[in-house]
Amino acid sequence: TEENYFFRLTKYKDAIIKHIKENPKFIQPEFKVNEVLKQLENIEDISVSRNKNSVSWGIPVPDDDEQVIYVWIDALSNYITALGYDTENPSEKFKHYWPANVQVIGKDILKFHAIYWSGILTALGIDLPETICAHGWITIDETKMSKSLGNVIAPADILKAFELQEPDALRYYMVTSAPFGRDGNYSDEDFKEKVNADLANNIGNLLNRSLNMLVKYFDGEIKPEFIKAGNDIEIAGNNTIETVKKFFDGYQVAEAANAIVEFANTVNKYVADNAPWTLAKEEKMQECGEVLYNILEAMRKIAIMLYPFCPNISEKIFTQLSAEKHIKYNQTEENSLKAGKITEKEKISPVFPRIDSEFATDKKKAK
């Protein structure tokens, strides 16, 4: 019903399809590829402007005061204009940062990025981003968040409601609440149960009781003869590190966290199977010391892998182990725990107290 400027997107349809099929990493997760290819089948040229009589706000079209630029054309172009893109003399910043390794977007705007944006870049002769990663939504009690429904929850309100001094638990829960590309759900009860199970019981309690045994049996000291390479738990830890790296490289953050928790489960089973308290009772102190070292070295690796999710908790683990952080991507194999005294009884405390426990907040501690 009005006259506008158009972008001949259909001219680039075949090139976009070819790029998608020849570059499996271009659209992630993979199950979104067919959705985009289906949309491309019936793609049409798109309007890139609106008449000012219809849309009063907007960026004016150059040399035509009667038209403003369609918001998605303006929004998408910001990715490169913000970097100083110029057809004649692109900036050093543009040359350094473009093409992007990954553009992370919501699943509902995949069409604009995978098709419209690809067409614009192709028309300009500019490289496409390596990956467009479409994430799912976070629902509340299985219902989509909506201002009209009044079910929007602010992260700060969750921290306040559970009297959490640090955001680690919420960070962990939100990034692990859904598999890659799928929707995740938040509920107060699920949040409490998951972080208590994974962070407090599985990881926190494992560290706490192991350090207490080291203090009880060896005055907090790792003796040189306790350190022996090549045991099963060390191999499992190294394999988990490689698995976590692989998941992160594929943007599968929730899956990476699950691998860390699974390794923590393996370490807990190792504790139960080897029972260092029994070894100490039977005065098998060399074996007891080896077991405790293996457990605590595994905890160091868990702290490294957990750092992107829970930096504060990881810092506390490093501190209680008297370990250096070394969290760079390719340094996870270096700087294992050294022989010597690593802790004292008064320095051992829960790195993540259970929500609703007597240790959970400073306020409750005061009581």
Side-chain angles (χ1 to χ4, degrees), residues 146-325:
S146 166
K147 288 183 179 179
S148 59
L149 291 176
N151 65 343
V152 177
I153 298 179
D157 292 340
I158 296 173
L159 299 183
K160 184 177 180 181
F162 285 99
E163 299 182 277
L164 295 171
Q165 305 300 313
E166 296 163 343
D168 288 44
L170 185 58
R171 282 169 58 107
Y172 175 81
Y173 179 82
M174 297 310 292
V175 297
T176 60
S177 62
F180 179 45
R182 306 291 184 182
D183 290 348
N185 182 66
Y186 176 86
S187 76
D188 286 342
E189 196 57 36
D190 285 347
F191 170 64
K192 185 169 71 172
E193 287 183 7
K194 184 170 181 61
V195 298
N196 277 344
D198 292 357
L199 301 181
N201 296 351
N202 197 343
I203 293 173
N205 187 49
L206 172 61
L207 174 70
N208 196 269
R209 60 181 177 147
S210 301
L211 283 174
N212 274 302
M213 282 190 281
L214 188 70
V215 169
K216 181 177 180 180
Y217 304 136
F218 302 103
D219 194 30
E221 181 181 359
I222 291 175
K223 299 183 184 298
E225 59 268 27
F226 295 166
I227 304 174
K228 293 185 178 180
N231 58 79
D232 290 345
I233 208 69
E234 179 187 29
I235 294 169
N238 293 340
N239 289 340
T240 302
I241 286 170
E242 294 308 312
T243 299
V244 169
K245 285 183 181 180
K246 182 179 178 181
F247 279 136
F248 265 100
D249 284 344
Y251 313 109
Q252 296 173 280
V253 183
E255 290 79 354
N258 290 337
I260 298 168
V261 172
E262 187 176 330
F263 175 55
N265 286 332
T266 299
V267 181
N268 273 298
K269 185 177 185 302
Y270 174 82
V271 175
D273 290 345
N274 289 275
W277 53 89
T278 301
L279 294 173
K281 187 176 180 180
E282 296 173 351
E283 297 186 351
K284 297 178 180 178
M285 303 313 290
Q286 173 64 26
E287 292 178 45
C288 179
E290 289 176 15
V291 169
L292 287 176
Y293 170 79
N294 293 338
I295 297 166
L296 295 173
E297 171 59 10
M299 284 304 311
R300 184 189 69 88
K301 290 176 179 176
I302 288 171
I304 290 170
M305 293 185 284
L306 193 66
Y307 193 91
F309 305 92
C310 305
N312 295 294
I313 292 174
S314 289
E315 291 275 7
K316 291 175 183 177
I317 295 174
F318 292 131
T319 298
Q320 293 196 28
L321 291 174
S322 297
E324 297 180 50
K325 287 185 285 188

Side-chain angles (χ1 to χ4, degrees), residues 110-158:
L110 178 58
K111 178 181 179 180
F112 298 99
H113 287 77
I115 299 178
Y116 292 9
W117 185 220
S118 295
I120 292 169
L121 291 171
T122 303
L124 289 168
I126 299 175
D127 290 337
L128 275 59
E130 181 181 327
T131 299
I132 295 173
C133 181
H135 63 73
W137 292 328
I138 299 296
T139 59
I140 301 294
D141 296 323
E142 308 295 342
T143 304
K144 185 178 176 182
M145 272 193 279
S146 166
K147 288 183 179 179
S148 59
L149 291 176
N151 65 343
V152 177
I153 298 179
D157 292 340
I158 296 173

